[in-house]
Amino acid sequence: MIRTKQAPKEIVIDLTGPDGNAFVLMGMAKNFAKQLGKDGNAITQEMMAGDYEHLLSVFDREFGHLVILER
């Protein structure tokens, strides 16, 4: 069987579920940062510098091209 390559499925994070927890998001940020060669510690420090909305905006700025955050 010959199959055409398919684009990878998008990553969607449901913010209303357990993955929307700030600590889970920071863990994901560290993981994504490592994979992309970014400084995960600097990103998570910035995520913690404000409220939950600030955390989401930093996450979206850094990884929005890979991940969709859903409310």
Side-chain angles (χ1 to χ4, degrees):
M1 171 194 293
I2 298 175
R3 182 167 99 177
T4 306
K5 275 188 176 180
Q6 298 176 350
K9 294 188 179 194
E10 58 191 20
I11 301 169
V12 178
I13 298 174
D14 179 5
L15 297 176
T16 63
D19 287 342
N21 178 291
F23 293 106
V24 173
L25 290 170
M26 287 189 293
M28 288 181 184
K30 280 193 172 202
N31 186 26
F32 290 139
K34 183 177 180 181
Q35 292 177 33
L36 296 171
K38 295 185 174 195
D39 185 353
N41 289 328
I43 293 170
T44 55
Q45 286 297 317
E46 187 178 353
M47 290 171 76
M48 292 188 292
D51 62 6
Y52 184 71
E53 290 302 316
H54 176 76
L55 180 141
L56 293 179
S57 68
V58 173
F59 189 96
D60 190 47
R61 183 191 72 216
E62 295 292 332
F63 309 110
H65 62 288
L66 298 173
V67 179
I68 296 171
L69 300 175
E70 258 184 2
R71 292 183 193 248

